[in-house]
Amino acid sequence: MAIDFTITSNVLSSGRTTYSAQKNNSQEPKFTIGFRTKYEDNFGLFNTSVTANQVYLPVDYEGEYGFWANFIYPTAMAESGGSFKCMNTYDRAKFTFSFMQYAAHVPNGDFVHFFKKLLALPNAKDYFPKIVLQNDRIFYKNNNGTLSQLENDTSTQTLMDYLNPSLSEVENQELICAARFVHWSVNDLQHRQIQVKTAIDLYKENMKAYHKRFGLDQAPAKVCQLICDIRHQGRGTNDRIANALNTNGNFEKAYQNLCSIGSANYQSRITTVRNTINKLTTQGKFGFKYDASEKDFINN
């Protein structure tokens, strides 16, 4: 049965508008969808709240994913503080969600893979009754049963427009889609597990590609993590990374070089990544090297 919400808004003493939702025909309390924000000439929502039991903790996933659960953690902390309900709808991606901030604007990208996995869950029809998965593509199903494809190998524009019709204002459709994602994440462990699996699958594939580009066999995990984080955020090009790695095998110098990429604009993020790596290293959980033949990290 489709889940519906009543959407309300409130202007805080700070002047900020907050949007909340309550599931219809239930005793569930209201929950925060997000806050209205302006970014350049755009208007949208953001939700960066971090609440107990809704945060990515590597220890919860080490049993299933081993070191990879720790490997993605610095990026998770930099992206969202680990919040499974992190969201924004105000930039060119139009809709971004999850603790790793999967963005809807990339064809065959992380958000598309993530959403497809969600749509395969039994309760997907409760949250998105008009969105269906067929032949590994996302479609909108109208009232007469006609299917319209929302994404393909070259574009996700129609999917973006479904989730967030425009960047000129916060619309009802945008609020409804955001409420669905937040509620689904908070109330369904499988949703959060899919967020994690998507992140680890992504970083595993990225490491294969980055090894081919940069030659990372036996490179320390912290060097590999910085490369993954730089490319995930997009604060540096492959050429800049290659230059940073050109140290005649001195990985400590390479690490310092990588930490300088984007520092003029993103020092806070870089500090978060470094501090998280340092914490994991102190705990004895980051002393690994990448083994290209195994396509995996091995303990020193």
Side-chain angles (χ1 to χ4, degrees), residues 158-228:
T158 311
L159 174 62
M160 293 160 61
D161 293 343
Y162 170 83
L163 296 167
N164 181 5
S166 84
L167 294 171
S168 61
E169 193 46 86
V170 176
E171 296 110 343
N172 189 59
Q173 174 70 6
E174 177 182 353
L175 287 164
I176 290 170
C177 289
R180 288 168 175 169
F181 269 94
V182 171
H183 187 275
W184 199 354
S185 174
V186 169
N187 291 279
D188 188 356
L189 175 61
Q190 284 187 293
H191 186 290
R192 300 191 294 275
Q193 289 173 331
I194 286 173
Q195 289 193 37
V196 176
K197 186 178 189 305
T198 301
I200 289 174
D201 287 348
L202 173 69
Y203 267 31
K204 282 184 175 180
E205 290 304 309
N206 286 350
M207 277 304 305
K208 295 176 188 176
Y210 298 154
H211 165 64
K212 289 181 180 179
R213 175 65 176 83
F214 305 119
L216 297 175
D217 189 38
Q218 304 304 305
K222 67 180 185 179
V223 168
C224 298
Q225 212 294 322
L226 254 296
I227 294 169
C228 286

Side-chain angles (χ1 to χ4, degrees), residues 24-248:
N24 293 343
N25 303 312
S26 79
Q27 299 300 311
E28 292 183 12
K30 283 185 179 181
F31 62 92
T32 299
I33 302 171
F35 299 91
R36 185 177 186 270
T37 190
K38 185 177 188 294
Y39 173 73
E40 296 178 345
D41 293 326
N42 303 334
F43 291 92
L45 303 169
F46 76 92
N47 185 339
T48 57
S49 61
V50 178
T51 54
N53 302 316
Q54 297 297 320
V55 179
Y56 176 74
L57 298 174
V59 68
D60 295 336
Y61 298 92
E62 286 174 349
E64 184 171 1
Y65 297 112
F67 173 70
W68 290 98
N70 290 296
F71 186 67
I72 67 170
Y73 191 48
T75 298
M77 291 301 291
E79 287 286 348
S80 67
S83 175
F84 282 122
K85 55 186 178 181
C86 182
M87 174 189 65
N88 80 65
T89 67
Y90 54 74
D91 63 15
R92 67 190 180 97
K94 296 190 81 172
F95 202 92
T96 299
F97 193 82
S98 95
F99 79 116
M100 293 283 276
Q101 295 212 54
Y102 305 137
H105 66 302
V106 181
N108 301 321
D110 47 22
F111 182 89
V112 172
H113 288 296
F114 167 57
F115 197 22
K116 286 177 179 179
K117 291 172 185 174
L118 289 181
L119 292 172
L121 292 176
N123 61 352
K125 61 183 180 297
D126 298 330
Y127 284 97
F128 288 93
K130 293 187 176 182
I131 304 297
V132 297
L133 191 63
Q134 282 202 4
N135 301 319
D136 200 38
R137 289 299 184 189
I138 301 171
F139 290 82
Y140 176 84
K141 186 176 184 180
N142 67 17
N143 291 334
N144 65 12
T146 302
L147 295 178
S148 301
Q149 191 167 331
L150 299 184
E151 51 80 34
N152 55 41
D153 289 338
T154 59
S155 176
T156 61
Q157 189 63 54
T158 311
L159 174 62
M160 293 160 61
D161 293 343
Y162 170 83
L163 296 167
N164 181 5
S166 84
L167 294 171
S168 61
E169 193 46 86
V170 176
E171 296 110 343
N172 189 59
Q173 174 70 6
E174 177 182 353
L175 287 164
I176 290 170
C177 289
R180 288 168 175 169
F181 269 94
V182 171
H183 187 275
W184 199 354
S185 174
V186 169
N187 291 279
D188 188 356
L189 175 61
Q190 284 187 293
H191 186 290
R192 300 191 294 275
Q193 289 173 331
I194 286 173
Q195 289 193 37
V196 176
K197 186 178 189 305
T198 301
I200 289 174
D201 287 348
L202 173 69
Y203 267 31
K204 282 184 175 180
E205 290 304 309
N206 286 350
M207 277 304 305
K208 295 176 188 176
Y210 298 154
H211 165 64
K212 289 181 180 179
R213 175 65 176 83
F214 305 119
L216 297 175
D217 189 38
Q218 304 304 305
K222 67 180 185 179
V223 168
C224 298
Q225 212 294 322
L226 254 296
I227 294 169
C228 286
D229 187 74
I230 290 166
R231 298 305 294 138
H232 185 78
Q233 187 199 13
R235 65 178 179 273
T237 63
N238 281 342
D239 285 344
R240 284 208 65 187
I241 291 170
N243 287 336
L245 293 171
N246 186 20
T247 61
N248 293 318

Side-chain angles (χ1 to χ4, degrees), residues 73 274-286:
Y73 191 48
R274 292 190 69 166
N275 287 347
T276 307
I277 289 174
N278 290 341
K279 178 181 177 181
L280 292 168
T281 301
T282 299
Q283 294 173 349
K285 294 185 174 183
F286 225 73

Side-chain angles (χ1 to χ4, degrees), residues 241-283:
I241 291 170
N243 287 336
L245 293 171
N246 186 20
T247 61
N248 293 318
N250 185 336
F251 285 119
E252 187 57 38
K253 183 178 180 181
Y255 179 67
Q256 299 304 324
N257 291 344
L258 290 166
C259 287
S260 72
I261 294 177
S263 59
N265 297 315
Y266 303 107
Q267 187 56 58
S268 177
R269 180 192 179 98
I270 296 166
T271 298
T272 297
V273 170
R274 292 190 69 166
N275 287 347
T276 307
I277 289 174
N278 290 341
K279 178 181 177 181
L280 292 168
T281 301
T282 299
Q283 294 173 349

